[in-house]
Amino acid sequence: MVAAGHPVTAESGAQVLREGGNAVDAAICSVATSFITESLLTGIGAGGFMLVHDPGAESVLVDFFVAAGGADGAERSAELVPIPVDFGDTVQVFNVGAASCGVPGTLAGLDHVARRFGSVPLERLVAPAVELAREGVRITPEQAYFHEILSPILVLTPECAALYEPEGRPLEAGDLFRFPDAGDALERFAAEGAEPFYGGDAGRAAADWVRERGGTLGPGDMAAYEPIERRPVEAAFRGATVLTNPPPSSGGILIAYALAVLERLGDRSGVEQLMLATEAANERRTEEFAEGLHDPEFVGDFLSREPPPSLGSTTHISVMDAAGMCASVTCSNGTGSGLVVPGTGFHVNNMLGEEDLNPGGFHRIPPGRRVSSMMAPTVALRDGETVLGLGSAGSNRIRSAILSVAVRVLEQGMDADRAVRAPRIHFEAGTVQAEPGVDEEGLAALEGRGVPVVRWSRPNVYFGGVQAVARDPAGGGMSGGGDPRRGGAVVVADGRAGLG
């Protein structure tokens, strides 16, 4: 089963499973396909993480997220360009331009996991993406929404505008989107691996393009980049072992902490409990926390701490195969920087301009260091068997989205589809944001305690994009959730399909 943010993304991975590929093969194919079907949110210029659980083997988190540039010694000569993005009921500012560009990792990561876990040639795995890049993919209503709200970024440079608004307007539902440079790049990747895009001519072209426009990305940064294998963070929750993204990323450890808080608060996680757990994690996210993420001894100390006294544009793909192997992979380009490098397939990320990923201030991350991410591909086990694989898009709403779905599956016994569709809350800056359908009694109780509540008029992509697969070890039945907020889809390998 494959759950992804676009029907074509999910179907491409499911076909690999039908042909005998494993969960990682399917995930690689789906990720490459998403570079075209969801190109505003991910791509060759992005970064990400893949959590792989193979029954009988040690689980591995492969970190291929964005790193800070500057190792070549160039000084930044451009400023971040702030762009307000209107979600309808709230506005969030994203910073773009050359100063926002970090070292991308997706092709290096896909190359690594293919060698480490894959069983199908890369040429086969990138074939759907190559064809779509050249022939085109129809814009869905959900993708059209992203083209609309991100339009100020997409016209930042002539190259970006030529790709995403070729007729001088945002692409609409039903329009055909083509990205031939990305198709050529993926075809080359399958034949030569990731090297040309890091130490070779394509990597140098991307670095030079950013550097000439005032950013710090240099050829040395690209050539030095390597994926890193890490041991996942573990958290116990309602009899399950939850594995998620470890430091130096922050999202996974904060989710693990929130789950531990919920475990202490009782057997039922309602609106108030979810808010309190999120609040507890938020209060721990201090400057000391940001520095501690780079200390190998930090994880155990952080997760053992008692809760505080006050307690009272990204994509995700989840794949589970018939043998129980699960690949949970999240990739993100942020909103993209607006810098498209001709002839390379790169639309470079804007991670150095994402406020939530730079809590200590912009341009403070040392060259070569990974940017701390909220992305948290997650797998849950019971008695060593996979019961849930999930992750989410959604900037700083990733944590609350994953937390809510995990609680509904592991505690409340929902199948993956119901859990993904259920209304969500997000607590930040002292205010609860709530989708329609959230328990009104619980919201009223929060207001009675003086907590402001913003009630949204309809579900929105603001609340993340969770893609989840679940399995009942006893009966072997599977369920999947493709987030309708992002046009998600679930496809099973016997050919039955369902759209979110």
Side-chain angles (χ1 to χ4, degrees):
M1 178 176 286
V2 183
H6 190 287
V8 177
T9 303
E11 172 55 32
S12 68
Q15 183 58 36
V16 170
L17 293 176
R18 295 185 194 113
E19 295 171 8
N22 64 32
V24 172
D25 296 320
I28 293 169
C29 183
S30 290
V31 169
T33 302
S34 73
F35 290 173
I36 312 304
T37 59
E38 304 168 70
S39 74
L40 296 187
L41 310 174
T42 184
I44 291 170
F49 306 88
M50 181 184 289
L51 177 56
V52 180
H53 173 73
D54 191 0
E58 187 175 1
S59 299
V60 176
L61 186 288
V62 181
D63 176 347
F64 51 95
F65 195 53
V66 172
D72 291 336
E75 295 188 6
R76 178 176 51 86
S77 61
E79 298 298 326
L80 294 170
V81 181
I83 302 289
V85 175
D86 188 355
F87 289 93
D89 289 307
T90 193
V91 174
Q92 183 177 357
V93 174
F94 294 90
N95 297 287
V96 299
S100 72
C101 298
V103 187
T106 49
L107 290 185
L110 294 184
D111 194 6
H112 182 89
V113 296
R115 296 173 188 272
R116 176 84 155 79
F117 304 103
S119 63
V120 176
L122 277 174
E123 182 181 9
R124 163 63 187 89
L125 300 182
V126 305
V130 172
E131 181 179 358
L132 289 168
R134 293 169 176 167
E135 301 300 323
V137 60
R138 295 289 173 186
I139 300 294
T140 64
E142 293 80 12
Q143 290 298 311
Y145 177 69
F146 283 113
H147 281 267
E148 178 186 348
I149 65 175
L150 298 180
S151 180
I153 298 171
L154 303 182
V155 296
L156 188 70
T157 65
E159 298 79 18
C160 200
L163 176 63
Y164 288 109
E165 300 195 6
E167 297 181 9
R169 59 166 178 81
L171 293 176
E172 300 174 349
D175 286 344
L176 203 61
F177 171 70
R178 292 186 178 90
F179 197 168
D181 281 351
D184 293 345
L186 287 169
E187 193 168 61
R188 184 180 185 187
F189 166 66
E192 302 178 40
E195 174 58 25
F197 302 90
Y198 291 89
D201 59 305
R204 290 192 297 272
D208 290 345
W209 190 266
V210 174
R211 181 73 63 84
E212 290 165 4
R213 285 151 183 80
T216 58
L217 185 61
D221 300 310
M222 298 293 287
Y225 186 89
E226 292 184 354
I228 300 171
E229 292 193 4
R230 306 187 191 277
R231 182 178 179 180
V233 166
E234 294 188 13
F237 180 70
R238 308 301 190 240
T241 300
V242 179
L243 309 177
T244 190
N245 198 3
S249 285
S250 58
I253 193 172
L254 292 172
I255 290 170
Y257 186 77
L259 288 170
V261 171
L262 290 174
E263 191 83 342
R264 297 184 185 115
L265 285 174
D267 296 333
R268 187 73 179 176
S269 303
V271 172
E272 186 172 12
Q273 287 79 12
L274 285 169
M275 190 217 74
L276 291 172
T278 304
E279 182 180 33
N282 288 349
E283 289 183 8
R284 293 299 191 198
R285 198 180 178 209
T286 61
E287 189 168 336
E288 177 191 7
F289 170 85
E291 279 304 310
L293 290 171
H294 301 277
D295 180 352
E297 305 299 322
F298 178 72
V299 175
D301 175 62
F302 181 82
L303 292 179
S304 67
R305 297 177 187 179
E306 287 296 315
S310 61
L311 270 178
S313 238
T314 308
T315 64
H316 184 82
I317 296 164
S318 295
V319 184
M320 196 181 300
D321 64 25
M325 186 182 194
C326 187
S328 180
V329 55
T330 312
C331 297
S332 181
N333 211 29
T335 60
S337 63
L339 271 68
V340 171
V341 186
T344 67
F346 281 101
H347 177 194
V348 190
N349 66 83
N350 73 317
M351 293 305 177
L352 302 186
E354 292 275 345
E355 184 173 0
D356 200 53
L357 305 187
N358 298 268
F362 297 115
H363 311 307
R364 294 180 60 180
I365 302 174
R369 177 180 282 188
R370 290 293 204 268
V371 177
S372 179
S373 172
M374 280 294 147
M375 300 195 297
T378 299
V379 172
L381 313 175
R382 290 193 194 275
D383 300 321
E385 295 195 55
T386 310
V387 295
L388 178 65
L390 78 164
S392 182
S395 186
N396 53 352
R397 277 81 61 194
I398 289 175
R399 287 179 289 138
S400 55
I402 293 175
L403 185 65
S404 66
V405 174
V407 164
R408 284 167 178 142
V409 174
L410 300 176
E411 177 189 272
Q412 300 171 17
M414 289 188 185
D415 64 28
D417 182 57
R418 286 183 60 210
V420 168
R421 290 176 179 273
R424 297 177 193 151
I425 65 166
H426 176 70
F427 179 72
E428 187 177 0
T431 298
V432 170
Q433 308 281 341
E435 288 189 306
V438 170
D439 174 36
E440 187 56 40
E441 186 176 335
L443 294 178
L446 291 178
E447 289 177 316
R449 293 178 46 213
V451 179
V453 174
V454 177
R455 291 169 173 82
W456 286 57
S457 57
R458 58 184 177 179
N460 192 280
V461 69
Y462 173 85
F463 289 89
V466 179
Q467 317 300 337
V469 291
R471 181 174 178 269
D472 176 7
M478 298 178 70
S479 63
D483 204 322
R485 297 164 185 82
R486 292 204 173 212
V490 176
V491 179
V492 295
D494 65 4
R496 292 179 286 112
L499 300 186

